[in-house]
Amino acid sequence: MSQWLIFLAIIPLSSIQLTKHFQVKHRWLINGIAFGLVVAPVSLGLLQMTYIPLIGKLLGLIGLIANLTHGSIGFLCLLGSGVLELNSVISAPQLVIINIVNAVLFAHCYGLIGYSIDKKLETETGASGHMMPV
């Protein structure tokens, strides 16, 4: 079941293509939000791919690194707020709640990064709409 989490990567990939095609003004903001929404579940899905020989080990390593940085934040927030108890086994509904909290937090964080990229690109673009020389 968790291998299907990798298909969530379609959301930011389609967001990149759609914002490029329609030339949206806040392109990086939208792409940052789309990436932040799915980064934690996709990293968990990649972590489960280690059973595949050769390429699965590499995907599992990428998933492990991404899950170490993105998976624990929601758990720690819920642990600190008292929703989860320390030293208890996490059930499937609790894992869903953790991933929802991660989605909200990382959509906000990556959205802010995308917004700052959009603002920087806007200031680099002159009034004529062309890039200014560096």
Side-chain angles (χ1 to χ4, degrees):
M1 176 64 184
S2 61
Q3 292 87 0
W4 292 100
L5 293 173
I6 296 172
F7 287 115
L8 288 175
I10 293 172
I11 294 171
L13 293 175
S14 62
S15 170
I16 290 169
Q17 291 300 320
L18 289 173
T19 55
K20 189 187 304 182
H21 179 70
F22 291 115
Q23 298 178 354
V24 179
K25 182 179 178 182
H26 297 290
R27 177 180 180 206
W28 293 106
L29 170 68
I30 295 169
N31 291 333
I33 291 171
F35 179 74
L37 284 173
V38 300
V39 68
V42 169
S43 66
L44 182 64
L46 284 174
L47 186 59
Q48 299 293 325
M49 299 301 274
T50 55
Y51 67 91
I52 300 172
L54 202 58
I55 190 87
K57 304 298 182 197
L58 180 63
L59 290 175
L61 180 64
I62 293 169
L64 175 67
I65 294 169
N67 201 23
L68 284 175
T69 56
H70 294 94
S72 61
I73 302 297
F75 174 74
L76 293 174
C77 287
L78 291 173
L79 190 66
S81 66
V83 175
L84 297 177
E85 294 181 15
L86 190 61
N87 296 329
S88 63
V89 177
I90 298 174
S91 64
Q94 290 173 333
L95 188 60
V96 170
I97 293 171
I98 290 170
N99 280 322
I100 290 171
V101 170
N102 282 332
V104 170
L105 290 174
F106 288 112
H108 183 74
C109 292
Y110 287 121
L112 285 174
I113 293 169
Y115 179 76
S116 65
I117 292 171
D118 284 335
K119 284 297 178 187
K120 183 176 181 194
L121 290 175
E122 186 178 310
T123 57
E124 287 179 358
T125 305
S128 63
H130 294 73
M131 295 294 285
M132 295 178 5
V134 178

PDB file of all heavy atoms in Angstrom, residues 21-58:
ATOM      1  N   HIS A  21       3.350  26.010 -18.735  1.00  0.00           N
ATOM      2  CA  HIS A  21       2.519  26.134 -19.930  1.00  0.00           C
ATOM      3  C   HIS A  21       1.646  27.395 -19.893  1.00  0.00           C
ATOM      4  O   HIS A  21       1.527  28.101 -20.885  1.00  0.00           O
ATOM      5  CB  HIS A  21       1.634  24.893 -20.094  1.00  0.00           C
ATOM      6  CG  HIS A  21       0.725  24.940 -21.266  1.00  0.00           C
ATOM      7  ND1 HIS A  21       1.183  24.845 -22.559  1.00  0.00           N
ATOM      8  CD2 HIS A  21      -0.624  25.079 -21.346  1.00  0.00           C
ATOM      9  CE1 HIS A  21       0.160  24.922 -23.393  1.00  0.00           C
ATOM     10  NE2 HIS A  21      -0.949  25.066 -22.674  1.00  0.00           N
ATOM     11  N   PHE A  22       1.036  27.673 -18.757  1.00  0.00           N
ATOM     12  CA  PHE A  22       0.133  28.818 -18.655  1.00  0.00           C
ATOM     13  C   PHE A  22       0.842  30.089 -18.211  1.00  0.00           C
ATOM     14  O   PHE A  22       0.194  31.129 -18.075  1.00  0.00           O
ATOM     15  CB  PHE A  22      -1.018  28.500 -17.696  1.00  0.00           C
ATOM     16  CG  PHE A  22      -1.959  27.469 -18.227  1.00  0.00           C
ATOM     17  CD1 PHE A  22      -2.086  26.246 -17.607  1.00  0.00           C
ATOM     18  CD2 PHE A  22      -2.710  27.721 -19.363  1.00  0.00           C
ATOM     19  CE1 PHE A  22      -2.956  25.284 -18.087  1.00  0.00           C
ATOM     20  CE2 PHE A  22      -3.579  26.767 -19.856  1.00  0.00           C
ATOM     21  CZ  PHE A  22      -3.704  25.546 -19.232  1.00  0.00           C
ATOM     22  N   GLN A  23       2.132  30.039 -17.962  1.00  0.00           N
ATOM     23  CA  GLN A  23       2.953  31.184 -17.569  1.00  0.00           C
ATOM     24  C   GLN A  23       2.326  31.956 -16.407  1.00  0.00           C
ATOM     25  O   GLN A  23       2.012  33.135 -16.501  1.00  0.00           O
ATOM     26  CB  GLN A  23       3.212  32.092 -18.766  1.00  0.00           C
ATOM     27  CG  GLN A  23       3.983  31.386 -19.848  1.00  0.00           C
ATOM     28  CD  GLN A  23       4.207  32.237 -21.066  1.00  0.00           C
ATOM     29  OE1 GLN A  23       3.700  33.347 -21.170  1.00  0.00           O
ATOM     30  NE2 GLN A  23       4.988  31.727 -21.998  1.00  0.00           N
ATOM     31  N   VAL A  24       2.142  31.255 -15.316  1.00  0.00           N
ATOM     32  CA  VAL A  24       1.541  31.818 -14.105  1.00  0.00           C
ATOM     33  C   VAL A  24       2.526  32.784 -13.459  1.00  0.00           C
ATOM     34  O   VAL A  24       3.740  32.555 -13.460  1.00  0.00           O
ATOM     35  CB  VAL A  24       1.156  30.673 -13.141  1.00  0.00           C
ATOM     36  CG1 VAL A  24       0.557  31.207 -11.864  1.00  0.00           C
ATOM     37  CG2 VAL A  24       0.208  29.714 -13.821  1.00  0.00           C
ATOM     38  N   LYS A  25       1.999  33.870 -12.881  1.00  0.00           N
ATOM     39  CA  LYS A  25       2.851  34.900 -12.286  1.00  0.00           C
ATOM     40  C   LYS A  25       3.618  34.364 -11.067  1.00  0.00           C
ATOM     41  O   LYS A  25       4.800  34.594 -10.931  1.00  0.00           O
ATOM     42  CB  LYS A  25       2.001  36.096 -11.887  1.00  0.00           C
ATOM     43  CG  LYS A  25       2.798  37.235 -11.311  1.00  0.00           C
ATOM     44  CD  LYS A  25       1.912  38.408 -10.964  1.00  0.00           C
ATOM     45  CE  LYS A  25       2.742  39.510 -10.356  1.00  0.00           C
ATOM     46  NZ  LYS A  25       1.916  40.647  -9.950  1.00  0.00           N
ATOM     47  N   HIS A  26       2.932  33.660 -10.184  1.00  0.00           N
ATOM     48  CA  HIS A  26       3.574  33.135  -8.971  1.00  0.00           C
ATOM     49  C   HIS A  26       3.874  31.650  -9.152  1.00  0.00           C
ATOM     50  O   HIS A  26       3.420  30.799  -8.396  1.00  0.00           O
ATOM     51  CB  HIS A  26       2.677  33.351  -7.758  1.00  0.00           C
ATOM     52  CG  HIS A  26       2.418  34.789  -7.467  1.00  0.00           C
ATOM     53  ND1 HIS A  26       3.389  35.622  -6.990  1.00  0.00           N
ATOM     54  CD2 HIS A  26       1.302  35.539  -7.619  1.00  0.00           C
ATOM     55  CE1 HIS A  26       2.891  36.832  -6.834  1.00  0.00           C
ATOM     56  NE2 HIS A  26       1.617  36.813  -7.221  1.00  0.00           N
ATOM     57  N   ARG A  27       4.691  31.368 -10.131  1.00  0.00           N
ATOM     58  CA  ARG A  27       4.984  29.981 -10.516  1.00  0.00           C
ATOM     59  C   ARG A  27       5.669  29.206  -9.402  1.00  0.00           C
ATOM     60  O   ARG A  27       5.286  28.090  -9.080  1.00  0.00           O
ATOM     61  CB  ARG A  27       5.861  30.009 -11.766  1.00  0.00           C
ATOM     62  CG  ARG A  27       6.300  28.667 -12.218  1.00  0.00           C
ATOM     63  CD  ARG A  27       7.154  28.787 -13.455  1.00  0.00           C
ATOM     64  NE  ARG A  27       7.555  27.455 -13.852  1.00  0.00           N
ATOM     65  CZ  ARG A  27       8.645  27.208 -14.530  1.00  0.00           C
ATOM     66  NH1 ARG A  27       9.411  28.170 -14.929  1.00  0.00           N
ATOM     67  NH2 ARG A  27       8.954  25.975 -14.837  1.00  0.00           N
ATOM     68  N   TRP A  28       6.694  29.772  -8.802  1.00  0.00           N
ATOM     69  CA  TRP A  28       7.470  29.045  -7.795  1.00  0.00           C
ATOM     70  C   TRP A  28       6.714  28.902  -6.489  1.00  0.00           C
ATOM     71  O   TRP A  28       6.921  27.946  -5.750  1.00  0.00           O
ATOM     72  CB  TRP A  28       8.821  29.699  -7.583  1.00  0.00           C
ATOM     73  CG  TRP A  28       9.665  29.559  -8.793  1.00  0.00           C
ATOM     74  CD1 TRP A  28       9.979  30.525  -9.693  1.00  0.00           C
ATOM     75  CD2 TRP A  28      10.256  28.350  -9.280  1.00  0.00           C
ATOM     76  NE1 TRP A  28      10.734  30.001 -10.704  1.00  0.00           N
ATOM     77  CE2 TRP A  28      10.933  28.668 -10.478  1.00  0.00           C
ATOM     78  CE3 TRP A  28      10.284  27.046  -8.829  1.00  0.00           C
ATOM     79  CZ2 TRP A  28      11.628  27.719 -11.216  1.00  0.00           C
ATOM     80  CZ3 TRP A  28      10.979  26.098  -9.559  1.00  0.00           C
ATOM     81  CH2 TRP A  28      11.635  26.446 -10.728  1.00  0.00           C
ATOM     82  N   LEU A  29       5.827  29.842  -6.195  1.00  0.00           N
ATOM     83  CA  LEU A  29       4.982  29.711  -5.011  1.00  0.00           C
ATOM     84  C   LEU A  29       4.071  28.493  -5.141  1.00  0.00           C
ATOM     85  O   LEU A  29       3.984  27.669  -4.229  1.00  0.00           O
ATOM     86  CB  LEU A  29       4.140  30.974  -4.824  1.00  0.00           C
ATOM     87  CG  LEU A  29       3.039  30.917  -3.767  1.00  0.00           C
ATOM     88  CD1 LEU A  29       3.628  30.823  -2.380  1.00  0.00           C
ATOM     89  CD2 LEU A  29       2.125  32.099  -3.905  1.00  0.00           C
ATOM     90  N   ILE A  30       3.425  28.357  -6.291  1.00  0.00           N
ATOM     91  CA  ILE A  30       2.523  27.225  -6.519  1.00  0.00           C
ATOM     92  C   ILE A  30       3.290  25.910  -6.523  1.00  0.00           C
ATOM     93  O   ILE A  30       2.858  24.921  -5.930  1.00  0.00           O
ATOM     94  CB  ILE A  30       1.752  27.431  -7.833  1.00  0.00           C
ATOM     95  CG1 ILE A  30       0.837  28.647  -7.704  1.00  0.00           C
ATOM     96  CG2 ILE A  30       0.957  26.194  -8.200  1.00  0.00           C
ATOM     97  CD1 ILE A  30       0.226  29.103  -8.991  1.00  0.00           C
ATOM     98  N   ASN A  31       4.455  25.894  -7.159  1.00  0.00           N
ATOM     99  CA  ASN A  31       5.265  24.674  -7.193  1.00  0.00           C
ATOM    100  C   ASN A  31       5.799  24.317  -5.809  1.00  0.00           C
ATOM    101  O   ASN A  31       5.896  23.140  -5.460  1.00  0.00           O
ATOM    102  CB  ASN A  31       6.409  24.823  -8.179  1.00  0.00           C
ATOM    103  CG  ASN A  31       5.937  24.876  -9.606  1.00  0.00           C
ATOM    104  OD1 ASN A  31       4.890  24.341  -9.939  1.00  0.00           O
ATOM    105  ND2 ASN A  31       6.685  25.533 -10.453  1.00  0.00           N
ATOM    106  N   GLY A  32       6.151  25.315  -5.010  1.00  0.00           N
ATOM    107  CA  GLY A  32       6.613  25.053  -3.647  1.00  0.00           C
ATOM    108  C   GLY A  32       5.519  24.454  -2.776  1.00  0.00           C
ATOM    109  O   GLY A  32       5.761  23.519  -2.014  1.00  0.00           O
ATOM    110  N   ILE A  33       4.308  24.974  -2.917  1.00  0.00           N
ATOM    111  CA  ILE A  33       3.183  24.429  -2.155  1.00  0.00           C
ATOM    112  C   ILE A  33       2.891  22.993  -2.596  1.00  0.00           C
ATOM    113  O   ILE A  33       2.676  22.107  -1.759  1.00  0.00           O
ATOM    114  CB  ILE A  33       1.943  25.329  -2.306  1.00  0.00           C
ATOM    115  CG1 ILE A  33       2.172  26.654  -1.585  1.00  0.00           C
ATOM    116  CG2 ILE A  33       0.697  24.644  -1.765  1.00  0.00           C
ATOM    117  CD1 ILE A  33       1.116  27.691  -1.840  1.00  0.00           C
ATOM    118  N   ALA A  34       2.900  22.761  -3.904  1.00  0.00           N
ATOM    119  CA  ALA A  34       2.622  21.409  -4.413  1.00  0.00           C
ATOM    120  C   ALA A  34       3.691  20.424  -3.953  1.00  0.00           C
ATOM    121  O   ALA A  34       3.378  19.287  -3.582  1.00  0.00           O
ATOM    122  CB  ALA A  34       2.544  21.432  -5.936  1.00  0.00           C
ATOM    123  N   PHE A  35       4.956  20.840  -3.944  1.00  0.00           N
ATOM    124  CA  PHE A  35       6.033  19.964  -3.485  1.00  0.00           C
ATOM    125  C   PHE A  35       5.926  19.707  -1.985  1.00  0.00           C
ATOM    126  O   PHE A  35       6.097  18.578  -1.523  1.00  0.00           O
ATOM    127  CB  PHE A  35       7.394  20.571  -3.830  1.00  0.00           C
ATOM    128  CG  PHE A  35       8.553  19.748  -3.367  1.00  0.00           C
ATOM    129  CD1 PHE A  35       8.893  18.581  -4.019  1.00  0.00           C
ATOM    130  CD2 PHE A  35       9.300  20.138  -2.270  1.00  0.00           C
ATOM    131  CE1 PHE A  35       9.960  17.807  -3.586  1.00  0.00           C
ATOM    132  CE2 PHE A  35      10.365  19.379  -1.838  1.00  0.00           C
ATOM    133  CZ  PHE A  35      10.700  18.215  -2.499  1.00  0.00           C
ATOM    134  N   GLY A  36       5.629  20.743  -1.217  1.00  0.00           N
ATOM    135  CA  GLY A  36       5.522  20.595   0.225  1.00  0.00           C
ATOM    136  C   GLY A  36       4.385  19.699   0.665  1.00  0.00           C
ATOM    137  O   GLY A  36       4.474  19.022   1.685  1.00  0.00           O
ATOM    138  N   LEU A  37       3.306  19.682  -0.120  1.00  0.00           N
ATOM    139  CA  LEU A  37       2.165  18.843   0.231  1.00  0.00           C
ATOM    140  C   LEU A  37       2.492  17.357   0.178  1.00  0.00           C
ATOM    141  O   LEU A  37       1.924  16.567   0.925  1.00  0.00           O
ATOM    142  CB  LEU A  37       0.984  19.131  -0.704  1.00  0.00           C
ATOM    143  CG  LEU A  37       0.215  20.413  -0.457  1.00  0.00           C
ATOM    144  CD1 LEU A  37      -0.809  20.631  -1.564  1.00  0.00           C
ATOM    145  CD2 LEU A  37      -0.457  20.391   0.894  1.00  0.00           C
ATOM    146  N   VAL A  38       3.397  16.959  -0.709  1.00  0.00           N
ATOM    147  CA  VAL A  38       3.610  15.527  -0.936  1.00  0.00           C
ATOM    148  C   VAL A  38       5.001  15.032  -0.554  1.00  0.00           C
ATOM    149  O   VAL A  38       5.270  13.841  -0.676  1.00  0.00           O
ATOM    150  CB  VAL A  38       3.329  15.158  -2.410  1.00  0.00           C
ATOM    151  CG1 VAL A  38       1.900  15.483  -2.780  1.00  0.00           C
ATOM    152  CG2 VAL A  38       4.295  15.842  -3.340  1.00  0.00           C
ATOM    153  N   VAL A  39       5.874  15.887  -0.066  1.00  0.00           N
ATOM    154  CA  VAL A  39       7.253  15.448   0.159  1.00  0.00           C
ATOM    155  C   VAL A  39       7.349  14.385   1.260  1.00  0.00           C
ATOM    156  O   VAL A  39       8.111  13.422   1.122  1.00  0.00           O
ATOM    157  CB  VAL A  39       8.183  16.652   0.440  1.00  0.00           C
ATOM    158  CG1 VAL A  39       7.865  17.315   1.764  1.00  0.00           C
ATOM    159  CG2 VAL A  39       9.638  16.232   0.373  1.00  0.00           C
ATOM    160  N   ALA A  40       6.592  14.496   2.319  1.00  0.00           N
ATOM    161  CA  ALA A  40       6.678  13.514   3.407  1.00  0.00           C
ATOM    162  C   ALA A  40       6.110  12.155   3.005  1.00  0.00           C
ATOM    163  O   ALA A  40       6.765  11.125   3.217  1.00  0.00           O
ATOM    164  CB  ALA A  40       5.999  14.045   4.667  1.00  0.00           C
ATOM    165  N   PRO A  41       4.908  12.068   2.403  1.00  0.00           N
ATOM    166  CA  PRO A  41       4.414  10.743   2.013  1.00  0.00           C
ATOM    167  C   PRO A  41       5.232  10.100   0.894  1.00  0.00           C
ATOM    168  O   PRO A  41       5.408   8.881   0.887  1.00  0.00           O
ATOM    169  CB  PRO A  41       2.977  10.980   1.552  1.00  0.00           C
ATOM    170  CG  PRO A  41       2.625  12.342   1.920  1.00  0.00           C
ATOM    171  CD  PRO A  41       3.857  13.069   2.257  1.00  0.00           C
ATOM    172  N   VAL A  42       5.731  10.908  -0.035  1.00  0.00           N
ATOM    173  CA  VAL A  42       6.546  10.335  -1.116  1.00  0.00           C
ATOM    174  C   VAL A  42       7.859   9.787  -0.559  1.00  0.00           C
ATOM    175  O   VAL A  42       8.323   8.724  -0.974  1.00  0.00           O
ATOM    176  CB  VAL A  42       6.789  11.376  -2.233  1.00  0.00           C
ATOM    177  CG1 VAL A  42       7.840  10.900  -3.212  1.00  0.00           C
ATOM    178  CG2 VAL A  42       5.498  11.666  -2.966  1.00  0.00           C
ATOM    179  N   SER A  43       8.452  10.479   0.406  1.00  0.00           N
ATOM    180  CA  SER A  43       9.691   9.966   0.996  1.00  0.00           C
ATOM    181  C   SER A  43       9.437   8.657   1.746  1.00  0.00           C
ATOM    182  O   SER A  43      10.265   7.755   1.733  1.00  0.00           O
ATOM    183  CB  SER A  43      10.320  11.010   1.922  1.00  0.00           C
ATOM    184  OG  SER A  43       9.506  11.238   3.046  1.00  0.00           O
ATOM    185  N   LEU A  44       8.281   8.552   2.388  1.00  0.00           N
ATOM    186  CA  LEU A  44       7.927   7.292   3.050  1.00  0.00           C
ATOM    187  C   LEU A  44       7.723   6.180   2.026  1.00  0.00           C
ATOM    188  O   LEU A  44       8.139   5.044   2.242  1.00  0.00           O
ATOM    189  CB  LEU A  44       6.662   7.480   3.892  1.00  0.00           C
ATOM    190  CG  LEU A  44       6.198   6.272   4.686  1.00  0.00           C
ATOM    191  CD1 LEU A  44       7.234   5.884   5.738  1.00  0.00           C
ATOM    192  CD2 LEU A  44       4.859   6.550   5.333  1.00  0.00           C
ATOM    193  N   GLY A  45       7.100   6.506   0.896  1.00  0.00           N
ATOM    194  CA  GLY A  45       6.922   5.511  -0.168  1.00  0.00           C
ATOM    195  C   GLY A  45       8.243   5.077  -0.778  1.00  0.00           C
ATOM    196  O   GLY A  45       8.428   3.892  -1.089  1.00  0.00           O
ATOM    197  N   LEU A  46       9.170   6.012  -0.944  1.00  0.00           N
ATOM    198  CA  LEU A  46      10.494   5.655  -1.471  1.00  0.00           C
ATOM    199  C   LEU A  46      11.255   4.777  -0.490  1.00  0.00           C
ATOM    200  O   LEU A  46      12.011   3.897  -0.898  1.00  0.00           O
ATOM    201  CB  LEU A  46      11.306   6.908  -1.781  1.00  0.00           C
ATOM    202  CG  LEU A  46      10.930   7.675  -3.036  1.00  0.00           C
ATOM    203  CD1 LEU A  46      11.737   8.962  -3.125  1.00  0.00           C
ATOM    204  CD2 LEU A  46      11.153   6.836  -4.271  1.00  0.00           C
ATOM    205  N   LEU A  47      11.057   5.023   0.784  1.00  0.00           N
ATOM    206  CA  LEU A  47      11.714   4.227   1.806  1.00  0.00           C
ATOM    207  C   LEU A  47      11.264   2.769   1.752  1.00  0.00           C
ATOM    208  O   LEU A  47      12.041   1.859   2.042  1.00  0.00           O
ATOM    209  CB  LEU A  47      11.421   4.811   3.188  1.00  0.00           C
ATOM    210  CG  LEU A  47      12.125   4.221   4.381  1.00  0.00           C
ATOM    211  CD1 LEU A  47      13.621   4.342   4.227  1.00  0.00           C
ATOM    212  CD2 LEU A  47      11.677   4.930   5.631  1.00  0.00           C
ATOM    213  N   GLN A  48      10.039   2.524   1.325  1.00  0.00           N
ATOM    214  CA  GLN A  48       9.507   1.167   1.248  1.00  0.00           C
ATOM    215  C   GLN A  48       9.967   0.415  -0.003  1.00  0.00           C
ATOM    216  O   GLN A  48       9.644  -0.755  -0.156  1.00  0.00           O
ATOM    217  CB  GLN A  48       7.977   1.212   1.269  1.00  0.00           C
ATOM    218  CG  GLN A  48       7.403   1.822   2.521  1.00  0.00           C
ATOM    219  CD  GLN A  48       7.662   0.978   3.743  1.00  0.00           C
ATOM    220  OE1 GLN A  48       7.665  -0.236   3.665  1.00  0.00           O
ATOM    221  NE2 GLN A  48       7.885   1.626   4.867  1.00  0.00           N
ATOM    222  N   MET A  49      10.701   1.069  -0.892  1.00  0.00           N
ATOM    223  CA  MET A  49      11.120   0.439  -2.152  1.00  0.00           C
ATOM    224  C   MET A  49      12.420  -0.358  -2.029  1.00  0.00           C
ATOM    225  O   MET A  49      12.947  -0.824  -3.030  1.00  0.00           O
ATOM    226  CB  MET A  49      11.301   1.513  -3.236  1.00  0.00           C
ATOM    227  CG  MET A  49      10.035   2.276  -3.553  1.00  0.00           C
ATOM    228  SD  MET A  49       8.715   1.237  -4.117  1.00  0.00           S
ATOM    229  CE  MET A  49       9.073   1.169  -5.833  1.00  0.00           C
ATOM    230  N   THR A  50      12.932  -0.550  -0.845  1.00  0.00           N
ATOM    231  CA  THR A  50      14.224  -1.212  -0.675  1.00  0.00           C
ATOM    232  C   THR A  50      14.204  -2.690  -1.030  1.00  0.00           C
ATOM    233  O   THR A  50      15.261  -3.295  -1.186  1.00  0.00           O
ATOM    234  CB  THR A  50      14.727  -1.054   0.771  1.00  0.00           C
ATOM    235  OG1 THR A  50      13.732  -1.547   1.660  1.00  0.00           O
ATOM    236  CG2 THR A  50      15.015   0.398   1.087  1.00  0.00           C
ATOM    237  N   TYR A  51      13.031  -3.277  -1.174  1.00  0.00           N
ATOM    238  CA  TYR A  51      12.959  -4.699  -1.518  1.00  0.00           C
ATOM    239  C   TYR A  51      13.296  -4.938  -2.997  1.00  0.00           C
ATOM    240  O   TYR A  51      13.563  -6.064  -3.386  1.00  0.00           O
ATOM    241  CB  TYR A  51      11.576  -5.274  -1.189  1.00  0.00           C
ATOM    242  CG  TYR A  51      10.470  -4.732  -2.038  1.00  0.00           C
ATOM    243  CD1 TYR A  51      10.106  -5.351  -3.228  1.00  0.00           C
ATOM    244  CD2 TYR A  51       9.782  -3.589  -1.655  1.00  0.00           C
ATOM    245  CE1 TYR A  51       9.089  -4.841  -4.016  1.00  0.00           C
ATOM    246  CE2 TYR A  51       8.767  -3.081  -2.427  1.00  0.00           C
ATOM    247  CZ  TYR A  51       8.431  -3.707  -3.611  1.00  0.00           C
ATOM    248  OH  TYR A  51       7.429  -3.193  -4.383  1.00  0.00           O
ATOM    249  N   ILE A  52      13.275  -3.918  -3.836  1.00  0.00           N
ATOM    250  CA  ILE A  52      13.609  -4.065  -5.255  1.00  0.00           C
ATOM    251  C   ILE A  52      15.129  -4.123  -5.384  1.00  0.00           C
ATOM    252  O   ILE A  52      15.829  -3.274  -4.838  1.00  0.00           O
ATOM    253  CB  ILE A  52      13.055  -2.888  -6.073  1.00  0.00           C
ATOM    254  CG1 ILE A  52      11.541  -2.825  -5.953  1.00  0.00           C
ATOM    255  CG2 ILE A  52      13.463  -2.993  -7.541  1.00  0.00           C
ATOM    256  CD1 ILE A  52      10.921  -1.591  -6.577  1.00  0.00           C
ATOM    257  N   PRO A  53      15.672  -5.109  -6.098  1.00  0.00           N
ATOM    258  CA  PRO A  53      17.120  -5.199  -6.225  1.00  0.00           C
ATOM    259  C   PRO A  53      17.705  -4.003  -6.972  1.00  0.00           C
ATOM    260  O   PRO A  53      17.084  -3.453  -7.862  1.00  0.00           O
ATOM    261  CB  PRO A  53      17.347  -6.486  -7.023  1.00  0.00           C
ATOM    262  CG  PRO A  53      16.065  -7.210  -7.005  1.00  0.00           C
ATOM    263  CD  PRO A  53      14.987  -6.227  -6.736  1.00  0.00           C
ATOM    264  N   LEU A  54      18.874  -3.603  -6.587  1.00  0.00           N
ATOM    265  CA  LEU A  54      19.696  -2.568  -7.190  1.00  0.00           C
ATOM    266  C   LEU A  54      19.058  -1.182  -7.156  1.00  0.00           C
ATOM    267  O   LEU A  54      19.393  -0.390  -6.297  1.00  0.00           O
ATOM    268  CB  LEU A  54      20.092  -2.955  -8.620  1.00  0.00           C
ATOM    269  CG  LEU A  54      21.328  -2.244  -9.163  1.00  0.00           C
ATOM    270  CD1 LEU A  54      22.528  -2.493  -8.292  1.00  0.00           C
ATOM    271  CD2 LEU A  54      21.590  -2.646 -10.582  1.00  0.00           C
ATOM    272  N   ILE A  55      18.151  -0.870  -8.056  1.00  0.00           N
ATOM    273  CA  ILE A  55      17.576   0.478  -8.118  1.00  0.00           C
ATOM    274  C   ILE A  55      16.735   0.788  -6.885  1.00  0.00           C
ATOM    275  O   ILE A  55      16.675   1.928  -6.446  1.00  0.00           O
ATOM    276  CB  ILE A  55      16.766   0.689  -9.419  1.00  0.00           C
ATOM    277  CG1 ILE A  55      16.383   2.152  -9.614  1.00  0.00           C
ATOM    278  CG2 ILE A  55      15.505  -0.135  -9.421  1.00  0.00           C
ATOM    279  CD1 ILE A  55      17.424   2.939 -10.315  1.00  0.00           C
ATOM    280  N   GLY A  56      16.122  -0.217  -6.308  1.00  0.00           N
ATOM    281  CA  GLY A  56      15.318  -0.019  -5.109  1.00  0.00           C
ATOM    282  C   GLY A  56      16.157   0.388  -3.912  1.00  0.00           C
ATOM    283  O   GLY A  56      15.686   1.132  -3.052  1.00  0.00           O
ATOM    284  N   LYS A  57      17.365  -0.100  -3.849  1.00  0.00           N
ATOM    285  CA  LYS A  57      18.257   0.296  -2.749  1.00  0.00           C
ATOM    286  C   LYS A  57      18.596   1.778  -2.842  1.00  0.00           C
ATOM    287  O   LYS A  57      18.632   2.480  -1.832  1.00  0.00           O
ATOM    288  CB  LYS A  57      19.548  -0.540  -2.767  1.00  0.00           C
ATOM    289  CG  LYS A  57      19.329  -2.023  -2.714  1.00  0.00           C
ATOM    290  CD  LYS A  57      18.650  -2.466  -1.451  1.00  0.00           C
ATOM    291  CE  LYS A  57      18.518  -3.979  -1.460  1.00  0.00           C
ATOM    292  NZ  LYS A  57      17.567  -4.459  -0.508  1.00  0.00           N
ATOM    293  N   LEU A  58      18.834   2.268  -4.058  1.00  0.00           N
ATOM    294  CA  LEU A  58      19.128   3.683  -4.253  1.00  0.00           C
ATOM    295  C   LEU A  58      17.895   4.535  -3.939  1.00  0.00           C
ATOM    296  O   LEU A  58      18.003   5.567  -3.273  1.00  0.00           O
ATOM    297  CB  LEU A  58      19.602   3.934  -5.686  1.00  0.00           C
ATOM    298  CG  LEU A  58      19.933   5.369  -6.035  1.00  0.00           C
ATOM    299  CD1 LEU A  58      21.100   5.865  -5.203  1.00  0.00           C
ATOM    300  CD2 LEU A  58      20.244   5.487  -7.516  1.00  0.00           C
TER     301      LEU A  58
END
